[in-house]
Amino acid sequence: MNMAAWKYYITFYRGRYGKLVFNIAASVSQSLFVLPMVFLVGYVFDKIIVSKDYFLLLMAGLVLLLLNLGNIALTLFARKLTMKLTRQITCEFRNAILHKFYQLPRSFYTGSDINQVQSSVVQDTMRLEQMSHAIVAQVIPASVLITGLGCVLCYLNWFLFLLMIIVIPGLFLVRLFLKGHLSSVIRAYHRSVEIFSQGMFHVLHKMDLTRVQMAEQEEMVNQGAHFEVLKEDTIRMAWMNTAYNSIQNGIAALSGILIIVVGGMAVTRGTMTMGALLSFFVASSMMKGYMQNLFTAIPQILEGNESLITLHRLLMLEEHLPYLGMKPIGFNGGIGLQHVSFSYQDTSVFEDVTFDIQPGEMVAITGPNGSGKSTLAWLILGFYRPEQGVVYADGQPYDDLDIASLRKHTGVVMQDPLTISGTIMENIRYGMPDATIEEVSRACELSTADDFIRNLPDGYGTRIGENGIRLSGGQRQRLVIARALLRKPQLLILDEPSNHLDPDSVERLMHNLNNLHPKPTILILTQEMKLARASQKIYHLE
């Protein structure tokens, strides 16, 4: 057990201890229904049946029924409270993970298997929720009621009670014996589920590539192998759970046999009444039922513990955003790099880069593929930190600035047009949900996106599909440019803006950008010298 992970988990219950106490109180209140049932059974057999009072017997039966219904109603009430509490805890845990994702640098996402991270978070938070529910709804109430019933059993017949609890060490020995093996089986099962989830994500998102490359059979073999592993791990875990529960049930049955044999001998000797024996048997059956609830929760807690450790490891990652400054900036569009060097791991991208872009300038940076043009864009956006040198905005070093406020004044169009699965309007307004129709229309005119949008049957309401699959490359490009222009940025970064666009569309786009008022600083990253020559300055990366 990872104590640091559990301490972190417990912090989510702060401010909710009252609800926990109330839930425990509701569980304790169940004894108001359970304990009278135990004593009433003994009274029925020792007094009412012997007196042959059928009316009193009928009344006793009605009272037992009402007590049972009251117990059920209180159980349902407590369970509903528990569900609300544990779901809220899980919701807040997911929010903490989401917040952590936005605190991690871009290098985390470029260096991680994102499919695995996504699958792990989804599966592990579900298991964490199941564990929370098991603890609050099963372990705590069962522990309270077991304690209460234990006191009753000791009162009824302490010797029988001692015989009954002799088997409890056996239950714990079985738990200790199987715990390590069950934990390793659970870990293997979790990993198999994650691999299965990743495989399905790959199949669905890479369908076009698979078909173009005629790789269907290869994928069938690869994914089929994952299915086989998942099948074996599922069987192994199910069998372990069944074996665990069966052994627990067998040991619990042994205590019932002892009660019948020894209790029966006590009745024949006259040292115990039949009613007292039946009361003891009813109470012990209830107690074993609650103990069963307690022990069946253990596999869920073990699963949840593994998931909690995984999620805690993610939440405690020491990676941080490159810049942590807090100073807001009224950005005018000036950008500068001074003696900047940058590498990806051991691969140098560029060294000692210095340039200065004044507000309102149109500047082109040219160079072949791999020369570092896109990396420069990531550095200017503050997604990476240079190994040496300083990046400036309006003469102020990035270390001092609130980079998020800087990005509010920046429009970006990267090489691969990034879209969301939604409508054209939702894509253009992404990050600016309050933009008016007029503002959206104007941005589309400037990007030339209105050419194709007005010809679509649903216009701005047209759904573009996952990754914009229902649009052509040029249409996606113009849509993303419109989204960048909607922000009315002080700095507009265009990474290979002529990708997917015909020469006429490029010419119209550049004309529109040159006539923007007020004119933003425009940084064009391109291989095309014809496009670069439309700029006021050209820097070349070698």
Side-chain angles (χ1 to χ4, degrees), residues 39 150-158 161:
F39 289 106
C151 294
V152 171
L153 289 170
C154 191
Y155 170 79
L156 289 172
N157 191 306
W158 63 268
F161 179 66

Side-chain angles (χ1 to χ4, degrees), residues 171-459:
L171 296 174
F172 283 101
L173 288 174
V174 170
R175 175 181 177 272
L176 290 174
F177 178 75
L178 293 178
K179 179 183 176 182
H181 190 51
L182 187 58
S183 295
S184 64
V185 169
I186 288 170
R187 280 194 296 270
Y189 170 73
H190 287 183
R191 179 59 183 154
S192 296
V193 171
E194 289 169 8
I195 292 173
F196 164 68
S197 177
Q198 294 168 33
M200 290 298 96
F201 185 89
H202 172 81
V203 167
L204 295 173
H205 285 76
K206 303 298 180 183
M207 185 61 69
D208 289 343
L209 174 63
T210 302
R211 285 174 171 165
V212 167
Q213 294 299 116
M214 301 287 290
E216 292 94 331
Q217 192 58 41
E218 180 182 345
E219 285 296 337
M220 289 289 291
V221 172
N222 290 339
Q223 302 306 327
H226 298 329
F227 298 163
E228 285 296 319
V229 173
L230 178 59
K231 180 195 74 175
E232 295 300 324
D233 287 340
T234 303
I235 292 172
R236 193 176 297 112
M237 191 178 79
W239 188 88
M240 281 294 298
N241 278 330
T242 302
Y244 178 83
N245 291 328
S246 297
I247 294 172
Q248 300 284 357
N249 290 336
I251 295 175
L254 177 60
S255 67
I257 295 170
L258 286 173
I259 291 170
I260 292 173
V261 173
V262 177
M265 293 172 62
V267 171
T268 57
R269 289 197 304 267
T271 57
M272 188 179 190
T273 67
M274 179 61 73
L277 176 60
L278 287 172
S279 291
F280 192 97
F281 195 82
V282 169
S284 65
S285 297
M286 289 181 176
M287 185 175 178
K288 283 185 284 186
Y290 291 121
M291 290 183 70
Q292 187 65 24
N293 288 341
L294 194 63
F295 286 113
T296 53
I298 290 175
Q300 289 180 311
I301 294 173
L302 290 175
E303 281 195 77
N305 178 62
E306 295 294 332
S307 294
L308 176 61
I309 292 171
T310 301
L311 294 172
H312 182 257
R313 192 179 300 123
L314 170 65
L315 287 163
M316 294 299 110
L317 284 175
E318 292 296 329
E319 300 180 64
H320 300 289
L321 294 173
Y323 299 101
L324 300 174
M326 301 295 291
K327 183 180 178 181
I329 179 172
F331 187 46
N332 294 315
I335 287 292
L337 273 70
Q338 188 173 37
H339 304 298
V340 166
S341 299
F342 185 79
S343 300
Y344 285 116
Q345 295 178 343
D346 297 328
T347 304
S348 177
V349 180
F350 44 71
E351 297 180 1
D352 199 28
V353 171
T354 297
F355 64 75
D356 187 59
I357 304 175
Q358 296 300 314
E361 283 189 319
M362 181 181 287
V363 176
I365 296 179
T366 65
N369 284 334
S371 60
K373 299 189 302 297
S374 296
T375 302
L376 273 178
W378 296 126
L379 282 167
I380 291 170
L381 288 167
F383 287 170
Y384 292 121
R385 183 187 188 89
E387 295 169 356
Q388 295 180 353
V390 182
V391 183
Y392 295 92
D394 287 343
Q396 301 183 62
Y398 272 26
D399 276 311
D400 297 339
L401 301 179
D402 177 2
I403 299 299
S405 73
L406 178 67
R407 291 190 194 125
K408 289 180 181 178
H409 304 288
T410 305
V412 186
V413 179
M414 303 309 293
Q415 285 190 55
D416 182 19
L418 299 175
T419 58
I420 62 172
S421 179
T423 65
I424 286 177
M425 180 63 78
E426 289 168 344
N427 271 273
I428 297 174
R429 280 178 167 170
Y430 187 65
M432 295 190 66
D434 298 327
T436 66
I437 297 294
E438 291 75 17
E439 290 172 327
V440 171
S441 299
R442 176 58 179 161
C444 289
E445 289 175 8
L446 293 171
S447 72
T448 72
D450 62 321
D451 291 353
F452 76 87
I453 294 175
R454 71 164 66 101
N455 293 321
L456 295 172
D458 296 324

Side-chain angles (χ1 to χ4, degrees), residues 38 42 44 77 92 106 163 311 329 349 436 442 453 463 535:
V38 172
V44 166
F77 174 70
E92 292 184 8
R106 188 171 187 268
L163 286 177
L311 294 172
I329 179 172
V349 180
T436 66
R442 176 58 179 161
I453 294 175
R463 304 196 70 83
S535 304

Side-chain angles (χ1 to χ4, degrees), residues 499-516:
N499 277 0
H500 314 295
L501 296 181
D502 59 83
D504 179 60
S505 295
V506 173
E507 186 175 343
R508 289 174 56 202
L509 173 64
M510 296 307 297
H511 176 270
N512 292 341
L513 294 179
N514 274 309
N515 288 281
L516 283 173

Side-chain angles (χ1 to χ4, degrees), residues 459-519:
Y460 287 103
T462 302
R463 304 196 70 83
I464 68 172
E466 190 70 32
N467 296 322
I469 195 171
R470 296 180 181 176
L471 300 180
S472 69
Q475 289 172 333
R476 288 200 304 274
Q477 184 84 348
R478 286 183 281 178
L479 192 67
V480 173
I481 293 172
R483 183 172 66 203
L485 292 172
L486 181 64
R487 193 173 289 278
K488 297 177 182 177
Q490 297 298 318
L491 170 65
L492 178 62
I493 301 175
L494 303 174
D495 191 357
E496 300 293 356
S498 58
N499 277 0
H500 314 295
L501 296 181
D502 59 83
D504 179 60
S505 295
V506 173
E507 186 175 343
R508 289 174 56 202
L509 173 64
M510 296 307 297
H511 176 270
N512 292 341
L513 294 179
N514 274 309
N515 288 281
L516 283 173
H517 184 76
K519 187 178 179 181

